[in-house]
Amino acid sequence: MKTICLYFEIHQITHLRRYRFFDIGTDHYYYDDYENERSITDIAERSYMPALETIHNMIKTHGDYFKVAFSLSGVGMEQLEMYTPQVLEKLQELNETGQVEFLAEPYSHGLSSLANEETFAADVKKQADKIQEYFGKRPTVLRNSSLIYSDDIGAQAARMGFKGMLTEGAKHVLGWKSPHYVYHCCMAPDLKLLLRDVELSDDLSLRFNNSDWSEYPLFADTYVNKIANLPEGEQVINIFMELSALGIAQPLSSGILGFLEAIPACAKAKGITFATPTEIFMKTKSIGEITVPDTLSWVDEERDCSCWLGNAMQHEAFTKLYSVADRIRIADDPRINQDWDYLQASNNFRFMTTKPSNVGLNRGIYSGPFDAFTNYMNILGDFITRVNHLYPLDIENDELDKLLTTIRNQGDEIEMKDKEITRLKAKLEKLQAAEAATEKKAPAKKKAAPKKAAAKPAAKAAEKKEEKK
């Protein structure tokens, strides 16, 4: 039986303001609040709210049959909290249906997995904490920024305790293999992988409204027939995209939401089911390993990291940013940490790209890649000065290493104590339950008659009277 795994990403760019060289050292606020509010409000109105309402209606209509997964970046959630909290409220409503899974991803939606293992782990943990706070359940499946993946990243994800990851079904990685199976990481066999079906996903997110496309107009039954006609053994069809594709990349006037709403009925008629990533990992065995020595992603035709790290400017900005990663963990300053999250976001490096792309790139305030690089480096210069002020550069590397070791050991100790507390709580609950059961089974004790209890003092009083006589 074929199963569709439908997944949507929710992330919002934090727009930087025009920051001049002469602002360095005098102004430590880097963000364009007006543009941030305008853009997230617009996307929520034209995409997020109508799309989520449609998905909610699909769950109401189809009950347990229809399921969907989401991942939300931490910085995106912060923008939703500030400007459009109704989106988070709607997601909480969807969560209450029990038909939705929320995945882990880096809080910053950044590239920490390519730079610093401990920063990446902290980035993911911070987002998982926020997801648990909002939706009451900790994610067990990881989705890295833009589906970035390699063998090393997979091995780290396994060490972090994840059951599986989502990544791109890139042709240069798969070769003759199909993306319609469950695979596993070659360096960590316990970590299962779901690979995005590039064609079926891009049919909706990129081509749906293109009147020059050979399959235009695309109807739900045609789309589902394409899935049903896949070879019999190909059972898992992974359709992954940004939620903003529904309403922004593909405008609502295109009928994209009506198309989406019709898919479950068409799929049901063909005996096709829906499942979340965790459900698939629990029910389906891996058919083999996937080897990814070089990093891949879902961006551009190359499906690699060249859109973020493809030129000297990007490498310079990336290296300089992560050169202070260890010092930031030691300083642990709330304002610094917030700026760190926003400056890590991958779009900051994407704006510096010089490579052509079939997907339009809106650089916002920047006239070109060099302008984006200059503005970012001005901000980064001020940011690093602030970091070094909190934790000066003249501290010896040996002392830095000792502090980092202490922090790691403290983190491990806290984690062990948390596990011990959880274990003891479970043991206490068992003991309390057993005690309650014993009390229920034990026969009730007879209470002494109140008259007899009162008779003793009366008898003593009579004896005292006789003695007086």
Side-chain angles (χ1 to χ4, degrees):
M1 183 181 289
K2 288 181 168 47
T3 299
I4 294 173
C5 181
L6 187 62
Y7 152 78
F8 295 103
E9 172 206 82
I10 299 177
H11 167 63
Q12 178 60 24
I13 290 172
T14 302
H15 296 274
L16 301 178
R17 71 177 181 87
R18 180 65 67 179
Y19 193 88
R20 314 270 178 199
F21 175 79
F22 297 104
D23 293 327
I24 298 173
T26 62
D27 188 347
H28 306 316
Y29 194 76
Y30 311 135
Y31 313 107
D32 186 340
D33 290 334
Y34 171 80
E35 182 57 25
N36 285 326
E37 182 175 5
R38 186 206 64 78
S39 58
I40 189 67
T41 303
D42 180 59
I43 290 172
E45 184 181 333
R46 292 167 52 203
S47 171
Y48 291 167
M49 287 307 294
L52 293 174
E53 192 61 53
T54 298
I55 291 168
H56 200 183
N57 289 337
M58 292 163 75
I59 292 172
K60 289 176 184 175
T61 302
H62 299 284
D64 293 347
Y65 171 72
F66 179 72
K67 296 175 183 180
V68 65
F70 295 95
S71 75
L72 295 84
S73 70
V75 294
M77 291 178 77
E78 286 186 19
Q79 295 244 18
L80 294 172
E81 286 170 335
M82 281 191 285
Y83 303 119
T84 56
Q86 67 271 23
V87 175
L88 290 170
E89 288 167 10
K90 192 66 193 176
L91 286 164
Q92 286 175 322
E93 282 182 46
L94 286 169
N95 181 55
E96 288 168 7
T97 67
Q99 302 301 104
V100 176
E101 179 177 3
F102 291 92
L103 312 182
E105 73 159 71
Y107 191 96
S108 65
H109 196 77
L111 307 174
S112 55
S113 61
L114 306 177
N116 187 299
E117 186 170 317
E118 291 183 349
T119 298
F120 177 57
D123 211 5
V124 172
K125 182 183 180 300
K126 186 175 179 181
Q127 186 267 1
D129 290 343
K130 199 170 183 74
I131 291 292
Q132 186 169 21
E133 178 189 336
Y134 265 93
F135 305 110
K137 192 175 180 182
R138 198 164 192 82
T140 57
V141 174
L142 174 64
R143 177 262 185 203
N144 199 2
S145 311
S146 301
L147 297 188
I148 292 172
Y149 178 81
S150 69
D151 296 334
D152 290 332
I153 293 170
Q156 184 178 353
R159 290 194 294 274
M160 290 160 64
F162 289 102
K163 295 177 181 176
M165 280 189 73
L166 311 187
T167 189
E168 180 75 342
K171 288 181 181 178
H172 70 275
V173 170
L174 283 170
W176 56 269
K177 296 177 182 176
S178 165
H180 305 138
Y181 295 94
V182 174
Y183 295 93
H184 64 260
C185 172
C186 68
M187 292 175 64
D190 289 339
L191 185 87
K192 292 182 178 179
L193 302 173
L194 289 181
L195 276 57
R196 174 177 178 262
D197 184 305
V198 177
E199 182 182 348
L200 288 170
S201 300
D202 288 353
D203 281 352
L204 303 190
S205 61
L206 298 181
R207 294 184 281 269
F208 184 80
N209 195 43
N210 183 1
S211 57
D212 294 328
W213 180 36
S214 60
E215 295 183 39
Y216 178 87
L218 182 63
F219 296 102
D221 56 351
T222 307
Y223 187 77
V224 170
N225 283 340
K226 194 188 287 190
I227 294 171
N229 292 332
L230 290 168
E232 188 177 343
E234 300 186 11
Q235 298 295 315
V236 183
I237 294 84
N238 304 306
I239 301 170
F240 304 161
M241 68 191 81
E242 297 175 1
L243 185 64
S244 61
L246 310 178
I248 303 297
Q250 308 305 319
L252 297 180
S253 59
S254 69
I256 185 69
L257 294 183
F259 172 90
L260 182 70
E261 204 163 5
I263 286 178
C266 296
K268 199 169 190 177
K270 293 287 183 179
I272 300 170
T273 62
F274 287 82
T276 61
T278 293
E279 288 176 335
I280 292 172
F281 289 143
M282 288 174 67
K283 295 175 183 176
T284 312
K285 290 183 178 180
S286 166
I287 66 158
E289 66 181 29
I290 287 288
T291 303
V292 188
D294 299 317
T295 314
L296 66 95
S297 77
W298 71 358
V299 180
D300 292 344
E301 290 183 4
E302 295 84 357
R303 313 290 176 187
D304 59 14
C305 293
S306 58
C307 66
W308 304 293
L309 299 173
N311 63 44
M313 291 185 295
Q314 291 168 314
H315 273 284
E316 170 67 18
F318 181 79
T319 303
K320 190 168 184 179
L321 175 67
Y322 285 102
S323 69
V324 293
D326 293 337
R327 292 175 182 273
I328 284 168
R329 282 206 309 284
I330 293 168
D332 196 25
D333 178 83
R335 178 69 190 278
I336 289 287
N337 288 342
Q338 185 179 54
D339 290 338
W340 173 244
D341 290 334
Y342 295 156
L343 293 177
Q344 282 189 87
S346 62
N347 55 277
N348 293 313
F349 300 93
R350 175 81 160 144
F351 292 151
M352 303 175 201
T353 187
T354 51
K355 60 179 281 195
S357 173
N358 291 333
V359 181
L361 174 61
N362 180 5
R363 297 183 202 265
I365 62 171
Y366 305 126
S367 59
F370 184 72
D371 187 27
F373 171 73
T374 303
N375 199 66
Y376 184 79
M377 294 303 281
N378 285 343
I379 291 172
L380 194 55
D382 182 79
F383 176 72
I384 290 176
T385 300
R386 290 165 56 209
V387 173
N388 290 338
H389 178 73
L390 286 172
Y391 197 89
L393 278 170
D394 57 6
I395 300 294
E396 294 293 332
N397 285 336
D398 288 345
E399 189 176 343
L400 179 64
D401 290 338
K402 284 177 185 176
L403 282 167
L404 288 172
T405 302
T406 302
I407 290 169
R408 288 188 202 105
N409 292 341
Q410 286 174 343
D412 292 342
E413 191 176 340
I414 289 167
E415 189 177 346
M416 285 174 67
K417 284 182 178 177
D418 285 343
K419 286 179 181 177
E420 182 65 12
I421 289 167
T422 304
R423 188 185 68 79
L424 290 172
K425 277 183 179 176
K427 190 175 180 181
L428 180 61
E429 286 170 6
K430 277 187 178 181
L431 289 171
Q432 287 173 339
E435 190 178 337
T438 305
E439 285 176 3
K440 277 188 179 181
K441 288 179 183 178
K445 291 180 181 177
K446 290 183 179 179
K447 291 182 180 178
K451 283 185 180 178
K452 281 187 179 180
K456 285 182 181 178
K460 283 182 181 178
E463 282 175 16
K464 282 181 181 179
K465 265 189 178 183
E466 285 296 324
E467 285 173 9
K468 283 180 182 179
K469 285 177 181 179

